[in-house]
Amino acid sequence: MNTRVLALAAVSIVTIIYGVTFTVAKEVMPHYVKPFGFIFIRVSAAMLVFWIASLFIKNDKIEKSDYKTIAMAAFFGIAFNMLTFFKGLNYTTPINASVMMVTSPILVLIFSSILMKERPTLIKIIGVIIGLIGAVVLIVYSGKSGANAKNMMLGNFLVFVNAASYGMYLVVAKKIVAKYKPITFIRWLYLFGFIFMFPFGISEFTEIQWEIIPMSGYLRIGFVVIFASCITYLFNLWALSKLKPTTVSVFIYLQPVVASIYALIVGSDTLDTIKILATVLIFIGVYLVSKQSPASLSK
């Protein structure tokens, strides 16, 4: 199995975890933990995990000039990204939030063309358009589902901002991620992210009433911390060192599919022709954008 296939498999696992996370996190907020308090737990715990893990390996020495880039990646990929996502998820529905995330590949194309002078091929542009059409079909349907949402418009806007932030993170991190071991890079990423996040999360964190959280709540929080924070970032960083940012970001198109499937499993949604059509379009978009050109040796 070649490296590209393994990298695509890693991104697929990340997509599945993120797709499930939309519903898992929504079941905790805001009943037991408010959005920014949840982010405080997530970032703090992940930071400790990665710094402790780094004690057992030989770490690379970070070049002084790269700390600025890592800090920028931490702002867009950890602090701003997570804060806007969880706040938006608190206001909208899991499916709407997952579908709004699919705008990230388009933003990555724009950021890559500006910052990295990357020229997207026609086939990739067509793939983005087809995938986005599928996402629009899904979001229009889910928007009429009558699911509970405090302020769907604001929530969707915040998730869109989160998607833009995540897209910028992929482009910024791509510049240096291949220079260092994943653990070395990510421990500094989370440390800077924690510093940026701290002023916003500490207040809601201190308001948490731990004694009223049931075991199911703790398990969901644990899932978000271990899988959605640690596993996903490690897999994503490794995949990002092997693939283009646009290829990694396009897997966001699968998140609405995973979110819908999970909803079917827990019995909170039904399957129909519209969702099947949207799923097919999204998969076609993912295939076209991740497809290598025969005339190119690029990743």
Side-chain angles (χ1 to χ4, degrees), residues 36-291:
F36 288 178
F38 205 149
I39 293 303
F40 189 95
I41 296 172
R42 181 179 180 182
V43 176
S44 301
M47 178 187 67
L48 289 174
V49 168
F50 287 123
W51 273 89
I52 292 174
S54 69
L55 298 176
F56 299 93
I57 67 170
K58 184 178 180 180
N59 290 282
D60 301 320
K61 184 177 181 180
I62 304 292
E63 296 179 14
K64 290 184 178 180
S65 59
D66 285 337
Y67 280 112
K68 181 179 179 180
T69 303
I70 296 175
M72 186 181 300
F75 176 79
F76 289 111
I78 301 294
F80 195 53
N81 170 34
M82 292 188 183
L83 289 171
T84 52
F85 170 66
F86 269 57
K87 196 69 171 181
L89 180 60
N90 186 50
Y91 288 135
T92 189
T93 63
I95 291 181
N96 271 350
S98 65
V99 174
M100 284 303 298
M101 282 292 295
V102 304
T103 57
S104 185
I106 297 175
L107 297 165
V108 167
L109 282 175
I110 296 173
F111 296 147
S112 294
S113 63
I114 295 174
L115 301 177
M116 300 177 67
K117 309 301 181 183
E118 182 181 307
R119 300 179 62 181
T121 62
L122 178 60
I123 194 69
K124 288 183 180 292
I125 294 175
I126 292 174
V128 168
I129 294 173
I130 292 175
L132 187 56
I133 290 174
V136 169
V137 171
L138 192 58
I139 196 170
V140 168
Y141 175 84
S142 64
K144 297 177 180 179
S145 65
N148 182 35
K150 295 180 179 179
N151 190 331
M152 193 172 295
M153 183 176 294
L154 176 59
N156 289 343
F157 173 74
L158 288 173
V159 177
F160 173 79
V161 173
N162 155 72
S165 181
Y166 181 76
M168 179 62 78
Y169 157 74
L170 290 177
V171 175
V172 173
K174 178 66 177 178
K175 296 180 179 179
I176 62 171
V177 68
K179 292 177 61 175
Y180 306 106
K181 295 176 182 177
I183 289 289
T184 301
F185 175 81
I186 205 168
R187 69 171 184 169
W188 286 104
L189 185 75
Y190 264 95
L191 178 59
F192 282 116
F194 175 79
I195 294 172
F196 291 135
M197 173 278 305
F198 186 88
F200 302 94
I202 185 61
S203 177
E204 291 188 359
F205 174 75
T206 58
E207 295 175 5
I208 299 175
Q209 295 178 288
W210 299 98
E211 67 277 4
I212 69 171
I213 301 178
M215 180 56 66
S216 60
Y218 281 110
L219 290 175
R220 290 183 174 92
I221 292 173
F223 176 87
V224 173
V225 170
I226 301 300
F227 289 94
S229 302
C230 299
I231 302 298
T232 54
Y233 272 75
L234 279 175
F235 279 25
N236 239 1
L237 281 175
W238 182 78
L240 191 57
S241 68
K242 309 299 180 184
L243 304 168
K244 286 185 177 181
T246 48
T247 302
V248 174
S249 66
V250 81
F251 274 78
I252 293 174
Y253 278 154
L254 291 173
Q255 290 185 12
V257 180
V258 176
S260 297
I261 292 175
Y262 183 73
L264 290 172
I265 292 175
V266 299
S268 62
D269 211 337
T270 57
L271 187 63
D272 53 36
T273 304
I274 294 179
K275 288 185 179 179
I276 294 175
L277 174 61
T279 299
V280 171
L281 290 174
I282 291 171
F283 268 100
I284 291 174
V286 171
Y287 173 75
L288 292 177
V289 176
S290 62
K291 182 179 175 61

